């Protein structure tokens, strides 16, 4: 059984046909493309035999250079050479201020939305840069496989939000690649290890790349991959280790202000030293600017560990959260799969081994495992393995919901729900004669709108005028296999409908993702109290409006002055305590007003019944019953 068999009617492959499909790991530092050939998933090399393509693009008046050549020129032409563009995907120009001060580019500040990098070839967006990388990978695959690609599975960090995922989709369009599916990187690694090793049990996928960190808890059993929980940081990776080492080098050399070329030179030296220390205990350092020797020294393993320890510890916090969310303990973990080039760092492996109390799995090249897993999934989605039993169950990382009365959030799809998923819930109108409903879509774990992230707004218009509470409005949330959300609202009696596809114009910052979940835990108790208060306030407001409406209609005829005065006093008391933060006072005021209006409500009901029976004889109803 293949998950998401996407062949169109009449277009499924026949036994002698094999559709060319690839898996693409669009990485921060390096990118790879892989395919299943002769039943084996393998990464595809360039003509020179190198499998990894540096995710670096250089722009010049002569054209665009991608990969090795661009990376070689990065310190010589930093303004026109873009690296680590993955960290810019799905962000606005304003978001870039939160990425730190080490961005060696000039941006067009007249654009507040998608950032535009100034180059000699014109202003370039991160989507266009990623598109150039994907074009090279597509060409490599078609040359190696000898034909046109049917499609690809492209991997993304599990914590990429809607904007970042949509930006990746757009980059694929620019590269003329049909995307079968966006696949979370940790899940791709699980596919590679689960299918190759026939593993069963609970596994941790620890994925530390150049610019992102993800951790997923997966349950593997007979080809079924279930993501039990996921967590991470979309702006934490090997690049941050390079910056830590570079800052140390700058301090040791006594340097103060560096231009972009000089900073690139320091970064390159730092990265080289870090990589060499995966095999050595000490490396010499020579910092040169052009032909000039600026500083000479050495970096040993102990110093490197001290410089990056805080960064590694930041990866363990999401690990703890994911384990808690999955409802398991460290003792329940059957294996830890290491993914991403940054897991080659010895101290990373030591800290992970110490935390999970077992030696991590590194059988498959951590640089290639994601691309291999994506290739296996692409082969299935292309229809090449229709009999292959593989079920992949992914999850959404944050809860999705909408705003309800009182500024509260009603969660429709809880975090860590298996995707693709569709959930619906019925709502109703608040006021008599209401003909429209505003739908505010939110993301986050808190109980109040002000503490969650706004994703989209739309209106359902054309609702037939009815009494408050009579309309039945069904709101449906649907998250597809790529993690993209669509929301629709339909009034069931009239059939009027409205919908929106959520494509936010910006991504979550590195701190916002962590903070959302931390706040939901640290503020859990006060959030419950705040929601309870808002619910009482809404109940009080509804009661006040209902009583005011009833008084306007029948107060003069059904109440004497004493009764009217008592009701007015209770209403005033409720209005006074309504905006206060004492739930007990509001509850008491609601109880008092309900008691004061009990007889009034009974008289109104009797009057309504008498009016309905006026002009009818009792025998009419007896005859109807007999008939």
């Amino acid at each position: 059984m293949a998950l998401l068999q996407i062949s169109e009617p009449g277009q499924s492959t026949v036994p002698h046909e094999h559709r060319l499909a690839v898996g693409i790991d669009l990485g921060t530092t390096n990118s790879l493309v892989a395919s299943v050939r002769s039943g084996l998933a393998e990464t595809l090399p360039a003509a020179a035999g190198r499998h990894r393509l540096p995710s670096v693009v250089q722009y010049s008046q002569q054209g665009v250079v991608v990969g090795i050549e661009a990376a070689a020129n990065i310190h010589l032409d930093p303004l026109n050479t873009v690296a680590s563009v993955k960290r810019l995907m799905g962000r606005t120009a304003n978001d870039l201020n939160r990425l730190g001060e080490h961005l060696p580019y000039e941006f067009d500040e007249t654009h507040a939305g998608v950032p535009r990098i100034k180059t000699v070839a014109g202003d370039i967006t991160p989507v266009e840069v990623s598109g150039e990388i994907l074009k090279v990978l597509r060409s490599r695959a078609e040359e190696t496989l000898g034909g046109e690609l049917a499609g690809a599975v492209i991997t993304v960090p599990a914590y990429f939000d809607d904007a970042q995922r949509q930006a990746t989709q757009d980059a694929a369009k620019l590269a003329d690649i049909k995307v079968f599916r966006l696949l979370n990187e940790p899940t791709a690694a699980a596919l590679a290890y689960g299918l190759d090793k026939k593993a069963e049990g609970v596994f941790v996928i620890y994925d530390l790349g150049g610019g992102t960190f993800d951790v997923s808890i997966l349950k593997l059993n007979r080809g079924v991959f279930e993501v039990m929980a996921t967590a991470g940081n979309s702006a934490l990776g090997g690049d941050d280790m390079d910056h830590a080492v570079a800052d140390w080098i700058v301090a040791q050399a006594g340097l103060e202000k560096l231009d972009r070329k000089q900073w690139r030179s320091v970064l390159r030296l730092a990265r080289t030293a870090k990589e060499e220390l995966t095999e050595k205990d000490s490396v010499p350092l020579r910092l040169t600017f052009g032909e000039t020797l600026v500083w000479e020294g050495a970096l040993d393993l102990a110093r490197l560990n001290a410089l990056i320890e805080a960064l590694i510890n930041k990866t363990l916090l999401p690990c703890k959260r994911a384990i808690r969310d999955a409802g398991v303990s460290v003792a329940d973990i059957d294996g830890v799969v290491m993914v991403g080039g940054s897991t080659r760092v010895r101290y990373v492996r030591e800290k992970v081994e110490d935390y999970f109390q077992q030696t991590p799995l590194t059988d498959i090249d951590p640089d290639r495992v994601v691309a291999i897993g994506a290739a296996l999934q692409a082969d299935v989605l292309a229809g090449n393995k229709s009999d292959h039993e593989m079920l992949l169950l992914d999850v959404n990382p944050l809860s999705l919901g909408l705003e309800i009365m009182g500024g509260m959030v009603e969660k429709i799809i809880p975090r860590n729900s298996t995707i693709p998923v569709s959930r619906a819930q019925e709502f109703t109108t608040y006021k008599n004669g209401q003909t429209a409903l505003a739908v505010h879509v939110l993301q986050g774990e808190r109980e109040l709108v002000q503490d969650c992230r706004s994703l989209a707004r739309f209106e359902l218009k054309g609702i037939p005028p009815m009494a408050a509470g009579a309309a039945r409005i069904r709101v449906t949330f649907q998250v597809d296999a790529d993690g993209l959300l669509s929301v629709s609202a339909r009034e069931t009696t009239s059939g009027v409908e409205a919908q929106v596809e959520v494509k936010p114009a910006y991504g979550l910052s590195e701190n916002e993702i962590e903070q959302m979940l931390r706040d939901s835990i640290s503020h859990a108790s006060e959030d419950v109290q705040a929601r309870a208060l808002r619910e009482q306030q809404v109940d009080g407001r509804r009661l006040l409006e209902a009583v005011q409406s009833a008084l306007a209609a029948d107060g003069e005829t059904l109440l004497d002055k004493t009764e009217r005065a008592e009701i007015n006093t209770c209403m005033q008391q409720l209005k006074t305590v309504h905006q206060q933060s004492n739930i007990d006072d509001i509850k008491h005021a609601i109880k008092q007003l309900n008691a004061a209006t009990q007889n009034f409500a009974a008289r109104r009901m009797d009057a309504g019944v008498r009016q309905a029976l006026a002009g009818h004889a009792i025998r009419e109803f007896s005859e109807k019953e007999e008939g």
Side-chain angles (χ1 to χ4, degrees):
M1 176 189 68
L3 175 70
L4 297 178
Q5 177 59 37
I6 60 172
S7 298
E8 296 294 335
Q11 295 181 5
S12 59
T13 58
V14 293
H16 66 278
E17 291 180 339
H18 182 87
R19 303 178 72 193
L20 300 181
V22 296
I24 295 176
D25 176 7
L26 186 59
T28 305
T29 307
N30 294 288
S31 296
L32 296 99
V33 59
S35 186
V36 175
R37 297 194 291 177
S38 301
L40 180 65
E42 57 185 7
T43 54
L44 306 178
R50 183 183 175 94
H51 289 253
R52 290 186 296 175
L53 175 73
S55 301
V56 184
V57 181
Q58 182 183 18
Y59 292 89
S60 69
Q61 294 177 341
Q62 288 72 39
V64 179
V65 177
V66 180
I68 294 289
E69 288 184 51
N73 295 327
I74 196 168
H75 66 293
L76 300 175
D77 190 18
L79 289 179
N80 300 300
T81 308
V82 184
S84 299
V85 70
K86 188 172 181 177
R87 299 183 79 158
L88 308 183
M89 294 286 278
R91 299 183 186 272
T92 65
N94 293 332
D95 292 332
L96 301 185
N97 295 327
R98 295 195 291 268
L99 293 177
E101 56 185 29
H102 295 311
L103 289 173
Y105 316 119
E106 290 184 356
F107 293 94
D108 181 357
E109 296 182 358
T110 62
H111 291 272
V114 177
R116 296 177 181 273
I117 303 168
K118 292 183 177 180
T119 73
V120 295
D123 293 348
I124 306 298
T125 67
V127 170
E128 292 173 287
V129 177
S130 294
E132 295 294 344
I133 297 169
L134 289 172
K135 285 178 186 177
V136 173
L137 294 176
R138 188 203 70 207
S139 297
R140 177 189 295 186
E142 291 181 341
E143 289 173 9
T144 305
L145 300 176
E148 187 175 337
L149 292 183
V153 168
I154 301 178
T155 61
V156 293
Y159 254 62
F160 257 25
D161 66 6
D162 285 324
Q164 292 164 308
R165 290 170 189 267
Q166 187 60 50
T168 305
Q169 293 265 30
D170 293 342
K173 288 181 182 178
L174 291 179
D176 196 24
I177 296 175
K178 178 181 179 181
V179 180
F180 285 154
R181 178 176 179 184
L182 296 181
L183 181 65
N184 286 348
E185 289 164 3
T187 308
L191 287 175
Y193 267 94
L195 294 179
D196 289 356
K197 305 295 181 182
K198 305 296 183 183
E200 296 186 1
V202 178
F203 282 75
V204 172
I205 312 299
Y206 180 99
D207 184 355
L208 184 60
T212 59
F213 171 69
D214 291 295
V215 59
S216 292
I217 312 297
L218 300 102
K219 188 175 184 180
L220 311 182
N221 184 28
R222 297 181 182 179
V224 177
F225 292 63
E226 180 184 358
V227 184
M228 302 172 71
T230 185
N233 190 326
S234 63
L236 174 66
D239 286 355
D240 299 283
M241 297 183 191
D242 297 339
H243 284 131
V245 176
D247 288 338
W248 177 80
I249 292 174
V250 169
Q252 294 299 304
L255 303 174
E256 294 183 1
K257 292 184 178 180
L258 301 179
D259 60 32
R260 292 182 174 89
K261 286 186 179 180
Q262 292 170 336
W263 176 249
R264 285 289 196 187
S265 296
V266 176
L267 262 184
R268 186 173 63 165
L269 180 62
R271 181 175 294 115
T272 301
K274 179 194 72 175
E275 292 173 354
E276 289 184 6
L277 285 173
T278 60
E279 302 292 339
K280 302 175 182 178
D281 292 331
S282 180
V283 294
L285 301 177
R286 283 175 56 84
L287 177 61
T288 59
F289 292 158
E291 300 297 326
T292 305
L293 176 63
V294 179
W295 174 76
E296 196 168 8
L299 178 64
D300 60 26
L301 192 60
R303 172 60 63 183
L304 174 66
N305 292 349
L307 291 173
I308 65 175
E309 183 171 22
L311 295 170
I312 300 174
N313 288 339
K314 284 178 70 175
T315 71
L316 298 180
L317 293 175
C319 290
K320 294 177 183 177
R321 186 171 66 244
I323 286 176
R324 182 184 62 245
D325 291 346
V328 297
S329 66
V330 170
D332 298 322
I333 304 301
D334 295 301
V336 181
V337 177
M338 301 296 276
V339 181
S342 296
T343 62
R344 296 182 186 277
V345 176
R346 281 190 274 177
Y347 201 40
V348 171
R349 295 188 178 186
E350 289 173 13
K351 296 281 279 187
V352 170
E353 180 175 350
D354 180 62
Y355 179 74
F356 289 103
Q357 301 171 18
Q358 59 183 288
T359 303
L361 299 174
T362 55
D363 298 9
I364 303 177
D365 185 341
D367 282 318
R368 302 187 189 184
V369 63
V370 168
I372 288 172
L376 291 167
Q377 178 73 348
D379 201 43
V380 172
L381 296 181
N384 294 329
K385 289 187 176 181
S386 57
D387 295 326
H388 186 73
E389 291 192 2
M390 178 173 66
L391 181 60
L392 172 61
L393 304 176
D394 222 333
V395 298
N396 68 305
L398 293 171
S399 297
L400 299 166
L402 52 78
E403 180 178 356
I404 58 175
M405 285 300 300
M408 295 179 288
V409 179
E410 183 71 15
K411 292 182 177 67
I412 307 299
I413 300 180
R415 63 185 292 246
N416 285 328
S417 294
T418 301
I419 61 173
V421 62
S422 180
R423 299 272 178 88
Q425 193 163 323
E426 280 200 351
F427 296 88
T428 189
T429 49
Y430 176 71
K431 293 185 177 181
N432 292 331
Q434 186 174 336
T435 59
L437 179 75
V439 180
H440 184 194
V441 184
L442 298 147
Q443 180 183 44
E445 306 309 312
R446 304 289 296 277
E447 295 295 330
L448 302 183
V449 170
Q450 64 197 37
D451 299 317
C452 290
R453 181 191 182 206
S454 174
L455 290 183
R457 296 174 186 266
F458 68 99
E459 285 190 0
L460 176 65
K461 298 180 179 180
I463 301 172
M466 297 182 237
R472 289 291 175 265
I473 300 160
R474 187 173 182 83
V475 180
T476 303
F477 277 53
Q478 185 168 351
V479 180
D480 66 17
D482 295 328
L484 300 176
L485 170 68
S486 62
V487 181
S488 63
R490 185 175 187 272
E491 203 287 307
T492 56
T493 59
S494 64
V496 295
E497 188 170 2
Q499 64 181 14
V500 64
E501 289 190 5
V502 179
K503 294 181 181 179
Y506 56 90
L508 293 177
S509 72
E510 118 183 46
N511 294 324
E512 285 172 330
I513 296 170
E514 286 286 327
Q515 202 62 41
M516 273 186 165
L517 296 178
R518 285 182 185 174
D519 287 349
S520 70
I521 296 169
S522 61
H523 297 285
S525 177
E526 62 188 78
D527 278 359
V528 170
Q529 294 177 357
R531 185 180 182 95
L533 172 62
R534 292 290 179 91
E535 287 174 345
Q536 287 299 318
Q537 289 173 331
V538 169
D539 287 346
R541 195 182 313 153
R542 284 176 174 162
L543 180 58
L544 283 171
E545 290 183 359
V547 173
Q548 286 171 344
S549 176
L551 289 175
D554 300 311
E556 295 295 330
T557 58
L558 298 180
L559 292 172
D560 59 32
K561 291 182 179 180
T562 302
E563 292 172 323
R564 182 70 179 259
E566 182 184 1
I567 292 175
N568 287 339
T569 300
C570 291
M571 287 179 66
Q572 186 58 48
Q573 177 63 22
L574 179 54
K575 289 177 182 178
T576 301
V577 302
H578 177 261
Q579 297 302 327
Q580 299 175 4
S581 57
N582 191 310
I583 296 178
D584 291 336
D585 286 349
I586 298 174
K587 284 183 177 179
H588 179 71
I590 290 174
K591 184 178 180 180
Q592 291 290 99
L593 182 56
N594 276 325
T597 57
Q598 187 172 2
N599 290 333
F600 178 40
R603 291 171 197 165
R604 292 192 77 216
M605 184 175 294
D606 290 344
V609 171
R610 284 196 300 272
Q611 185 177 359
L613 295 178
H616 296 279
I618 293 180
R619 68 172 179 273
E620 292 182 45
F621 296 95
S622 300
E623 289 171 356
K624 288 180 181 178
E625 291 177 2
E626 293 173 1

